[in-house]
Amino acid sequence: MLDLTQAYTGCPSSSLQFLHLPRETLLLYPFADSVVVLNARTLAFICALAFWEVFPSTRHLTQSVQCLAVEDGMKLVVASLGHRVVAWSLSGPRNDYWRVHSSLLLPEEQHVTALNCTSGLLAVGTRSTLSVYTLILENDLPTWSLKWSFTVPSLSRVRFSPSLMYIATTSLYDNVVHIYLTTTGRKTQAISHPRPVTDLIWRNSPSSSRDDPILYTITTDATLRIFLPVLDAPQYLQLHSALDTFSSLPFSVASRENNSSIFRLDREVMNAALKSVLAQAQSAEEDGRRRRIREITEEGWDVFLRVLGDGSLVVQAVANIDRRPPTLLKQFTLLQTAPGVLPGPPAHLYIVPNPGRASLTLVTSPPLKSYELAILPFFDARADGLRLQASGAEHADADANEDSRAEVVRFMRTPNGEGVGALRSDGCGEVWNFDWAKTGRLVRKGRWAALEGTERVDHFVVLDAGRRFVTYSSASSLLTLHTTPPATLHVPSIASIFALSPSTHSSPYRTLIGITASYTIVIVSATISGPLPSLVLLSESSLPLPAPPKMILPVDPMAWVGQYGTGTRGVAQAHDVLLSVSEEGELAFWIPEGGLGDHPPSNGPANGANGAAQMVRGREGPTVSWKCTGMVRTGKKGFSMARCSSAKKSVLVVPTSDGAELTIWDSKESEFALGLEYRALLGDAITDLDWAATPDGQSLLAVGFAHRVELLCQQRATYFDSTPGAQWGVCWKVDLSRIVPHPISDSIWLARGTLLVGAGHQLFMFGQRRERRGSLDVEEGKRVGQDESLFEHVARLNGPLDEYHPQMLLQCLLWEKIELVKSVIVNLARNVESGRDIHEWESLSIEKFSQNDEQAKARNAPHRPKYSLLFDIPEQKDDEEDDPFSPSVVKKLLDNLEEKPLPHLTPSENASLLVLIQTALEIEEQRRALDPNGLRYLISMRSFYILNQRASEPSTPASPSSGPAAPPQLTRRERLRYRDMIWAFHSDSQELLLSTSMAACGGKMCWPDARALGVFTWMRSADAMRAHMEVVARNEYMAGDLRDPTACSLFYFALGKAKLVHGLWRQAAWHKEYQVMLKFLNNDFKEPRWRTAALKNAFALLSKRRFEYAAAFFLLGDSLKDAVNVCLRNLSDWQLAVALARVVEQGDDGPILRDILNGTVIPLAFKEGNRYLASWAFWLLHRRDLAVRILVTPLQDMASTIDVPIVEIGDPHYDDPSLALLFSQLKSKTLQTAQGTSEISGRTEFNFVLQIARVFCRMGCHVLALDLVRSWSFQRPSTVVRDGRAALRPPSPVSTRFALEPALRHKSSILIDIDVTTAPPTRRASPSRSPSRGGSPPPTVAKDALKLNDESDLVARKAGIGSLMKSAKQDVKVPEFDMGAFF
């Protein structure tokens, strides 16, 4: 999803080293303070070995690693920096773990200039010595022991011979190759050359018949010389042949060729590849093509490659090197390619094997490139013989000497992310263009150097996709536009600077905003193109804040890049520019009044842009007036970091004693949303924050730590969230701890979801690999498929849902869209059976989501003739054939989904989909007997049992694509949510619900089942409760094989059936308490003495912790209060206490039940933020006005209104769309609920509906959010408006004064449940914004106007409800039914 696509580790300036492994070849080169390790074929970055891991004092030295040597046998990498030497070894079963092997510290004056390591021998050349060390074990630790050391001139190269008998060296100050004996260090020969020697190569050929030394040397004139020993002097090397330009080209051509390079192609690597080609099956036509290859292999030719100045290649061969005695060597040219095969003669060229492939890899440097050499086409001189495989991340024209070796300090990008710059620790920096469309790489466009005598750059701004940039120096307060010619401007001392997004990319003007240390805002106009580039100071201003802020930050513009100051239909839409954060944690968003886009300075020509900002001239010059667009009070203090996204999501980091507290805040603060969306306490220190935006406007947050970057995105809310609220989560991690030891200094988002990370001097770019989408991975031998991009992953986690997603189906069922659910299921069945790709499936039209069930039935009903015979004969046709939603269709769909789950759903979602499809079928079979609330309860109950059943199964359906982390498995729930129970409480089909609940329990409902389903909380009939408690008591007794009377005593005693329990004890002779209980229950408990005895036994049982049996004896002793207390305190089961109270007191008006509700249930509801539970409790307390208000009004305001003492108030939990569903049902159900509704202001209800619509969007149900705001009725019960003009007014969501007749015309009556003669005065309405909730007031004028509107709205509605109550007092005389009224 987010892979390492490029690593900018610097161009190699010296020779390359290779470590050959069984499955790959590693390429290594030194740069800055590290050794860079790449894959030789793909040039993919593998890791970096930092020198300062062994010698921490070298962490910030300006010196670089100079020498590097690799030992294949022991997998050692040896590097030197100054007078220090470090060796690393590669280990692990997959050769992926580097560890420090050993180290060597030389005297400070011995600066290492040459290294070579072979078979436990280490040759070290310094400016004055040549030393040889051997590897020994000292105290079980590998240690380098000095073997010998001699004084020699400054060495540039040192090479061990394959037999380890000789060492060849070159010096920096002469053209002589010196040969030394490895054992003693004695010099045996000095070979002079006419030109400086650029390379030394010992011929290493284990397959050769010769074991005497053979040396190749290459000089600066591109001449390769071959030195062989003679028979009479086997230790003396003699020149036998030389390959120069004239030996490979005609004289006329060679005389003009003054720029070429020659390289030896490793004989062993070549032979292995050639033999693999020859071993392949061949046709008669290919036999001729393989003849040259066969000759090279069988004759044992050494092959050399010369690269000419025009990029053409000349392949030469030398024969007879292995013959004894050495005869005359033969050299000849094998082939010459056309020009342009390579860019030009490289300084270094290597041939490396391709394990498992019949080809070779050619690596050149600089620039660093790898080519695939196809052997047959190459030796046929075909154009496809050499193909570019990969190139280094740096630009091809980059000079290795210009690459900075200083560490990255900070990044800065253009608003659209197509240009980026880096400031380094030494004051220098570079700017790049992100060429995401063509190459997906960074192309360097400019740099500035930290030269002596120049001012150090402290801040910079990147413009025009990296083609222009502006730097600022604090020492001189000088702003410099780096153009030709450059432009400068003296500005006040600024602490930060950034650029606004231009309205058009072709505009020559850019607007820069600088923030000074005193929080003054400096606005500068930059002319970046044209004949005379310039910088002009436009304004200096300050934000109208009552106190200086803690910080002022730019608002990230990535989501609306290119749209600043523009809008639709010609209406300008200004975006926020600045975020100010006060010491108290108050966030304020600011825009300049009048807009602020790219515009020419006041004395320059107009360019037709959006126009300059509104200027207010003062004594000191022009200023810009700033307007606040919103405020959020976070209450956070002492924060260290803050950032703001395009969507006005703000993140704050507050250091605490337990770690860094990271919080994310939304600007849409209201009484229903505090703004806090996410809170996490992180143990690691946060070093960086940066926002990005997806194409659909979602925000992505990159949180940088020392060695990793975590990407946070919004997670889609679900209906079953245990912690409601807009949740954020880590969707991806970028971990650099395994590949680079340097800590991360900065990270920044670029265009198209690309993340650039700086660690040390290295840059790492993470994004989507272009070649991996739907490609075949040759190495793994399997289909990669369509890899999910970061934006696609975020959209899947938080985007709109498919119509068949289980969450969408569940909400449609709850909101009485049964016909829509049937259509979705039928359409899903058709799509599944069609066998088409999931991206080609047909979807339902959006109009179907806006229809209710009646409209959908009318549309789907078959058309019948309008007129028919008086007596129609019913058509003999199967209904199942007419209805596409049939049990057979559903069963077939369930079988298909069980066999092949939908690929983009998690296992839990697939399981939920099956549950809901099965539930929809059961609902369809019973929907005519159930009211809507009963259907909702049935949906919840069916889902509850089926999900618990699936959670108990050993395995669940697996999903082939489960993302980077395994999704959570299904877990069992102990009970239905109170939200689900309240649907049954307000249902008129409770008898059917009770029988369905009994059937769900297998016909044997015990108390745990009744508690899980909330039966005794939602039943309203006292007689039904008594009857059902007897059923529960009987089932408790029959449960198990022992028939224990103690299990049912509590319920039978609550029913007053002590004699029945006595009879049950007669049959329990096996029980150890048989005699005692039989004797005790034989007494008359109507007498006080026996009731007292029962109470004493209850207390004795309490001491034995037999709590349920103790509660039973309290009931036997006629002490309901004590029994209830045991249930509440000892059993922690308030449902059992409510059940006992409602049954014993035979209703809902008893004092014990009221005490339970007031003392336990309501405080518990406030503590958990459960508005459903509080609404149910208020309804039982006959405070139905509060039962409605609690659904909408903030809990803090409700706590101050009611008489119940509230100690703790939990989260508001407004992120539940069923709140709106319940509120719409109850607000006009009775006169009390109408009174409660009247005390909720129109503005509050309007904001409440908007909050629920946002919740729907957070759940991915955008079409349901649209349907909610389209169909919600703000009408309130009131008297009919007689004013004719008022009837013509359009409805207002803020102040609605509808008559009772439009709101309740569909109702036959409104229940009068209040004594209108003694009605209490109406309580104050719930305020629009709670001060304790951190809401920030708008400007004073708007606040007063809003207050006036709300108050007038409230007065009118109070008057309306008062008139309604007065009309309720009058005797309603219903005229007798008159049949003649119909005619």
Side-chain angles (χ1 to χ4, degrees), residues 1167-1368:
K1167 179 181 179 180
E1168 297 180 354
N1170 197 308
R1171 299 173 181 275
Y1172 298 98
L1173 184 59
S1175 177
W1176 169 82
F1178 285 130
W1179 195 277
L1180 285 185
L1181 290 170
H1182 303 293
R1183 296 300 307 272
R1184 297 173 181 175
D1185 54 337
L1186 298 180
V1188 175
R1189 291 183 62 194
I1190 193 66
L1191 300 176
V1192 179
T1193 310
L1195 295 179
Q1196 193 72 33
D1197 301 325
M1198 289 296 300
S1200 60
T1201 302
I1202 62 178
D1203 299 330
V1204 179
I1206 302 299
V1207 179
E1208 182 179 355
I1209 298 179
D1211 294 332
H1213 289 197
Y1214 276 111
D1215 297 324
D1216 189 349
S1218 292
L1219 285 173
L1221 186 59
L1222 183 60
F1223 177 69
S1224 65
Q1225 283 191 20
L1226 300 185
K1227 66 177 184 178
S1228 301
K1229 190 171 185 178
T1230 70
L1231 197 59
Q1232 271 196 12
T1233 61
Q1235 180 183 2
T1237 305
S1238 69
E1239 297 179 2
I1240 302 172
S1241 68
R1243 171 67 65 179
T1244 300
E1245 184 179 356
F1246 179 70
N1247 292 338
F1248 173 73
V1249 175
L1250 288 184
Q1251 170 67 14
I1252 300 301
R1254 295 191 195 102
V1255 173
F1256 267 134
C1257 293
R1258 288 283 299 110
M1259 297 173 64
C1261 305
H1262 293 68
V1263 289
L1264 298 183
L1266 178 63
D1267 182 58
L1268 175 69
V1269 297
R1270 186 191 65 84
S1271 59
W1272 184 269
S1273 173
F1274 290 92
Q1275 299 168 350
R1276 307 292 185 91
S1278 62
T1279 56
V1280 179
V1281 180
R1282 300 302 180 187
D1283 188 358
R1285 295 173 298 176
L1288 299 178
R1289 294 195 197 105
S1292 169
V1294 177
S1295 178
T1296 54
R1297 304 177 183 87
F1298 287 89
L1300 181 63
E1301 37 108 14
L1304 302 173
R1305 187 174 291 172
H1306 65 284
K1307 293 182 178 290
S1308 60
S1309 63
I1310 182 170
L1311 179 63
I1312 301 176
D1313 56 351
I1314 186 173
D1315 185 4
V1316 295
T1317 58
T1318 60
T1322 306
R1323 291 170 297 280
R1324 61 180 178 86
S1326 55
S1328 298
R1329 182 69 58 87
S1330 174
S1332 61
R1333 285 292 175 183
S1336 55
T1340 306
V1341 177
K1343 179 179 179 181
D1344 295 342
L1346 180 61
K1347 181 178 179 182
L1348 183 61
N1349 291 338
D1350 284 347
E1351 288 181 353
S1352 61
D1353 178 30
L1354 185 60
V1355 170
R1357 281 184 285 103
K1358 285 183 177 180
I1361 196 65
S1363 302
L1364 185 62
M1365 292 169 60
K1366 290 179 181 179
S1367 64

Side-chain angles (χ1 to χ4, degrees), residues 507-768:
S507 173
Y509 305 104
R510 297 293 187 272
T511 301
L512 311 181
I513 295 183
I515 311 297
T516 67
S518 60
Y519 302 108
T520 300
I521 303 170
V522 178
I523 302 178
V524 177
S525 176
T527 305
I528 62 174
S529 61
L532 190 61
S534 63
L535 293 171
V536 178
L537 179 62
L538 292 182
S539 169
E540 293 184 46
S541 59
S542 299
L543 297 179
L545 292 170
K550 178 71 178 291
M551 59 178 65
I552 297 179
L553 304 167
V555 175
D556 181 81
M558 185 168 281
W560 34 267
V561 78
Q563 302 175 0
Y564 183 85
T566 61
T568 57
R569 301 181 181 179
V571 180
Q573 179 185 0
H575 300 278
D576 296 291
V577 174
L578 297 176
L579 167 72
S580 66
V581 188
S582 68
E583 294 284 352
E584 290 75 23
E586 184 177 71
L587 311 179
F589 306 92
W590 303 89
I591 60 171
E593 292 193 74
L596 185 62
D598 54 299
H599 54 273
S602 57
N603 56 356
N607 67 333
N610 297 323
Q614 177 180 346
M615 301 291 180
V616 180
R617 291 191 174 272
R619 296 181 179 179
E620 299 180 357
T623 59
V624 173
S625 56
W626 294 86
K627 176 183 177 181
C628 180
T629 61
M631 302 179 73
V632 177
R633 293 178 180 173
T634 66
K636 302 295 181 182
K637 297 181 180 181
F639 46 85
S640 58
M641 301 178 69
R643 295 291 186 274
C644 182
S645 73
S646 308
K648 297 177 74 170
K649 306 282 186 183
S650 303
V651 56
L652 298 179
V653 176
V654 179
T656 65
S657 58
D658 299 328
E661 181 194 43
L662 185 141
T663 54
I664 299 177
W665 301 80
D666 186 22
S667 61
K668 299 180 180 66
E669 183 195 21
S670 67
E671 62 266 45
F672 306 105
L674 306 182
L676 180 63
E677 290 191 344
Y678 179 73
R679 179 185 180 274
L681 197 62
L682 306 174
D684 298 334
I686 298 175
T687 59
D688 177 57
L689 299 169
D690 195 46
W691 286 101
T694 64
D696 56 349
Q698 298 191 52
S699 296
L700 263 172
L701 176 63
V703 182
F705 299 91
H707 295 283
R708 73 183 189 277
V709 179
E710 295 184 354
L711 307 185
L712 273 68
C713 70
Q714 286 181 281
Q715 308 284 323
R716 185 184 299 113
T718 67
Y719 189 66
F720 299 111
D721 275 343
S722 57
T723 54
Q727 298 297 313
W728 290 67
V730 178
C731 62
W732 199 258
K733 289 184 180 181
V734 175
D735 192 356
L736 300 185
S737 60
R738 296 293 300 272
I739 62 175
V740 60
H742 298 79
I744 296 175
S745 54
D746 196 10
S747 60
I748 197 167
W749 288 104
L750 302 181
R752 301 303 188 271
T754 302
L755 184 68
L756 184 66
V757 182
H761 63 279
Q762 301 151 124
L763 311 181
F764 301 96
M765 190 163 68
F766 294 86
Q768 181 81 2

